[in-house]
Amino acid sequence: MQFDNTGTFQVLPVPPNGEYEPLERLRHCTLCYDKCFPNTCKKEIFLPENSYMDVAFLLDNSRNIRSDEFKDVKALVSSMFDNFDIASDPVTSDSGDRIALLSYSPWDGRKKDVVKTEFEFTTYENQALMKRHIQTYLQQLNGESTIGHALLWTVEDLFPRTPKLRKHRVIFVVSAGENHERKEFLKKMALKAKCQGYVIFVISLGSTHKEDMEELASHPLDHHLIQLGRIHKPNLDYVVKFLKPFVYSVR
């Protein structure tokens, strides 16, 4: 079967009997999507062994974010976990996704505790335990925002010492204000991570510099960067829905 591609639209010829599985999937799950019944098109997806990922969330835990906004960010991150198929045995199993949660703030050049590790890839085996940790233990640190140093620690310390690394390695950066580092350093650390095969997805909240966030995120930017300004509940719902096709594309 040949496809006619006009450059803007792709024409898919349908067999005479009208049965064409990709077209049916498009019609039922895209064109006819009903937000009142979002699970109508939902079906179980079986993932190949090499599609699993290790995902590190770098969470802005600085004074840039207000206490009420910090509660919303905690809820956002918890909701994002639902997009992953968490490994039931994260230490020894080769299958399943694994998640680590890190807070970046504050930075002290005399110390190495650039990042506060909330939990590592091998700490929890399901989303419920991760969400409970966020609600119970995740506290605001009120220092300065230091994304570059957090990235450096993540790719040089967190990932390398994790057993059975997955094929796909993703870093989510949640930024809520101005980054107090040299721009060239942030750019260098982002490039270092990308060149080592890490995918960087950025969620920018508040008064972050657009240029810095664009340097940080992987390309194409419209797939790896969300800039929301100040936090509003509908915007957070949008982030969660945006994440699903992103995770699918990485797999």
Side-chain angles (χ1 to χ4, degrees):
M1 178 181 294
Q2 292 184 341
F3 301 114
D4 296 324
N5 193 334
T6 66
T8 304
F9 301 99
Q10 189 177 60
V11 180
L12 305 179
V14 180
N17 60 10
E19 295 181 0
Y20 185 47
E21 194 271 338
L23 185 62
E24 286 299 299
R25 190 166 62 247
L26 173 67
R27 181 171 68 84
H28 287 296
C29 299
T30 303
L31 301 180
C32 299
Y33 173 75
D34 186 345
K35 66 180 181 181
C36 295
F37 302 96
N39 295 323
T40 300
C41 301
K42 187 177 181 181
K43 63 180 180 179
E44 188 175 2
I45 299 175
F46 297 95
L47 301 174
E49 285 298 319
N50 65 352
S51 71
Y52 295 111
M53 57 183 72
D54 285 329
V55 183
F57 283 83
L58 300 188
L59 180 61
D60 190 342
N61 209 342
S62 68
R63 63 170 63 102
N64 293 326
I65 185 168
R66 302 195 307 257
S67 59
D68 58 328
E69 290 181 328
F70 189 67
K71 292 180 181 178
D72 290 334
V73 169
K74 290 168 65 172
L76 168 65
V77 174
S78 293
S79 297
M80 293 170 72
F81 291 167
D82 293 332
N83 285 284
F84 301 97
D85 181 23
I86 304 300
S88 58
D89 187 351
V91 177
T92 62
S93 175
D94 290 313
S95 63
D97 302 321
R98 300 182 297 183
I99 292 177
L101 178 63
L102 316 168
S103 298
Y104 59 91
S105 172
W107 162 245
D108 185 339
R110 297 166 299 177
K111 302 178 181 179
K112 292 186 178 181
D113 55 347
V114 180
V115 177
K116 179 184 178 183
T117 303
E118 297 295 338
F119 53 82
E120 299 186 353
F121 292 120
T122 56
T123 305
Y124 295 126
E125 66 272 12
N126 61 63
Q127 288 98 332
L129 293 174
M130 297 175 186
K131 293 179 181 183
R132 187 173 67 182
H133 181 109
I134 288 178
Q135 295 306 316
T136 305
Y137 301 110
L138 181 58
Q139 302 295 326
Q140 203 162 354
L141 300 177
N142 294 316
E144 302 291 350
S145 180
T146 52
I147 303 174
H149 286 94
L151 268 180
L152 177 63
W153 186 88
T154 301
V155 300
E156 290 194 347
D157 192 298
L158 176 68
F159 277 95
R161 62 181 168 83
T162 300
K164 295 184 176 293
L165 278 177
R166 304 309 193 232
K167 174 183 177 182
H168 304 295
R169 294 164 291 168
V170 181
I171 300 173
F172 282 91
V173 177
V174 181
S175 177
E178 184 178 355
N179 189 59
H180 293 269
E181 296 172 309
R182 290 183 294 106
K183 291 186 177 182
E184 284 303 313
F185 176 75
L186 177 60
K187 181 179 179 180
K188 180 179 178 180
M189 292 303 101
L191 182 61
K192 177 184 179 72
K194 295 171 194 174
C195 289
Q196 292 183 15
Y198 295 92
V199 178
I200 303 178
F201 189 104
V202 179
I203 302 170
S204 175
L205 311 169
S207 57
T208 53
H209 289 295
K210 180 179 179 181
E211 295 77 12
D212 290 348
M213 297 301 100
E214 290 180 347
E215 291 284 0
L216 181 60
S218 295
H219 287 268
L221 292 178
D222 57 351
H223 291 180
H224 299 86
L225 173 61
I226 297 179
Q227 294 183 290
L228 294 181
R230 281 301 168 191
I231 300 174
H232 299 286
K233 184 62 166 62
N235 289 340
L236 299 186
D237 292 340
Y238 169 79
V239 174
V240 174
K241 292 177 181 178
F242 190 98
L243 180 61
K244 183 171 292 186
F246 166 75
V247 171
Y248 182 81
S249 69
V250 172
R251 295 194 194 281

